[in-house]
Amino acid sequence: MWKRALAGLALAGIILFLLLRKVDTHQVWTVLRGARWAILPLVSVCGCLSVFLKGERWAIALGAHSGERPRRRVFAATMIGVAANYLLPARLGDILRVLVLRKHNDVPATRGLLASWSSQAFDLLAVAVLLLAGAAAGEGVASGATVALVLAVVLGGVAVVGLLARQPARLVGWANGLCSLLPKRLAAKAQPLVEHAIDGLRFLGKPVVLGWVVLFTVVIWIVEVTSMWLALYAFHIAVRPAAAGLLVAAIGLSFALPLTPGNIGTYQLIAILVLGRFGIERDQAFAFGIGFQAYALVTTVLLGLVLFQREGLSFETLGKAGEAQAP
């Protein structure tokens, strides 16, 4: 785990070094000094609201199994997961948030993880919609055909899984059939895990629950775009909400498979590429990427660490989670 983190930091350093060679550091410093830092706490409030809504969406998805959703420490689990994903590779925070939720609620880890990933798939749909809207307006960061293809693939995948989730008994039967091909010792361990995983997908086969998940996703992304627009305003970057939406979408897409811890380096590169399409100079875009990301990293990680310690967890827990995720 730590080797991957160091490799990611090295890559981040290389990207930042190359970007620094292309910007005027004096101008970057001028933008940072002149930023409206007093606005950023309001951005943090929006960020916490987004995390809260993501936790509630996750709880709603989990509640589709038994009809009663987990309510204890959902926000703490989600915030700890977000903070860990900022610091650690391979989205290890997703594993950690499941462990925290399991500690306080009767939710098996596998069910929690599959419900988390499948509900987050709707964030990918939101990203694709924002990118497609930008491409249609001639301001996108990808061609309309490419984004439409991605959107169709994600929608198709969700539809197929949703249809299968409407028949959990059949899914369990297929899964047990596959498990029976394994050695008995492995099959005995795999079967309950597979059943819990299927339970985590059940909300996709329940239209009412699915509707709530979609509604929460829409609200989450409205909050995310508003938060980004406020952050841009704090750095004297006056753009339309559409530009903020495209920036949020591009950053969100990069976080799906992060190359560096916290997207350091790639965040600044994306800020330059996206904001450049709206006439924002490279120096100002880079200053925003450095300043706002540093603020978001520090505040999110500090809050995550406070909640992490409150849970009585240790870094040894992270190491064990990382080993479980390693190939």
Side-chain angles (χ1 to χ4, degrees):
M1 178 183 71
W2 301 114
K3 290 181 180 179
R4 283 184 287 181
L6 289 174
L9 285 174
L11 178 59
I14 293 171
I15 296 173
L16 288 175
F17 173 75
L18 294 174
L19 291 177
L20 280 168
R21 295 181 63 186
K22 301 290 185 180
V23 299
D24 181 345
T25 54
H26 176 73
Q27 183 62 28
V28 169
W29 178 242
T30 300
V31 173
L32 289 174
R33 283 192 306 171
R36 304 180 179 103
W37 293 97
I39 293 177
L40 293 183
L42 180 59
V43 178
S44 294
V45 172
C46 290
C48 288
L49 176 58
S50 176
V51 171
F52 171 78
L53 292 171
K54 288 176 181 177
E56 291 301 299
R57 181 183 63 180
W58 182 31
I60 288 171
L62 284 167
H65 167 65
S66 61
E68 183 176 351
R69 57 183 177 137
R71 298 183 180 276
R72 298 186 61 194
R73 308 293 288 164
V74 177
F75 173 78
T78 309
M79 180 59 77
I80 290 171
V82 170
N85 279 336
Y86 269 131
L87 293 175
L88 301 170
R91 296 195 63 85
L92 189 58
D94 290 349
I95 305 294
L96 191 56
R97 72 188 293 215
V98 166
L99 297 179
V100 174
L101 189 76
R102 185 182 64 179
K103 180 180 176 182
H104 298 282
N105 301 271
D106 184 21
V107 178
T110 310
R111 186 200 305 167
L113 192 59
L114 264 292
S116 172
W117 285 343
S118 52
S119 60
Q120 288 179 55
F122 289 89
D123 290 329
L124 291 178
L125 286 175
V127 166
V129 168
L130 286 171
L131 292 177
L132 186 59
E139 298 174 335
V141 294
S143 69
T146 301
V147 179
L149 177 61
V150 172
L151 181 60
V153 169
V154 177
L155 275 173
V158 171
V160 169
V161 175
L163 288 173
L164 292 174
R166 292 182 68 85
Q167 304 179 44
R170 180 173 294 184
L171 268 180
V172 171
W174 290 344
N176 288 336
L178 292 174
C179 289
S180 66
L181 300 177
L182 300 173
K184 289 185 178 180
R185 186 176 178 181
L186 289 177
K189 293 182 179 181
Q191 283 179 344
L193 292 177
V194 170
E195 290 179 8
H196 290 322
I198 292 172
D199 289 339
L201 297 172
R202 287 199 181 194
F203 78 94
L204 293 171
K206 297 189 174 184
V208 174
V209 180
L210 185 59
W212 277 107
V213 169
V214 171
L215 177 60
F216 266 78
T217 301
V218 171
V219 177
I220 286 167
W221 281 85
I222 290 173
V223 173
E224 293 274 359
V225 172
T226 302
S227 175
M228 182 60 74
W229 184 83
L230 285 171
L232 290 167
Y233 176 75
F235 285 83
H236 301 278
I237 299 177
V239 293
R240 291 174 295 168
L246 280 175
L247 185 56
V248 170
I251 292 172
L253 192 60
S254 69
F255 263 105
L257 290 172
L259 297 176
T260 63
N263 261 11
I264 298 172
T266 54
Y267 192 104
Q268 287 73 38
L269 179 60
I270 290 170
I272 290 172
L273 293 175
V274 174
L275 293 176
R277 300 185 68 90
F278 296 89
I280 306 303
E281 294 183 358
R282 180 178 297 177
D283 297 337
Q284 192 173 16
F286 181 78
F288 165 78
I290 287 288
F292 178 59
Q293 189 190 34
Y295 174 84
L297 273 172
V298 170
T299 53
T300 303
V301 169
L302 282 178
L303 180 55
L305 284 175
V306 169
L307 295 172
F308 182 80
Q309 287 205 321
R310 183 181 174 186
E311 293 298 325
L313 299 172
S314 67
F315 289 102
E316 183 181 355
T317 307
L318 294 179
K320 291 179 179 178
E323 291 171 4
Q325 216 184 20

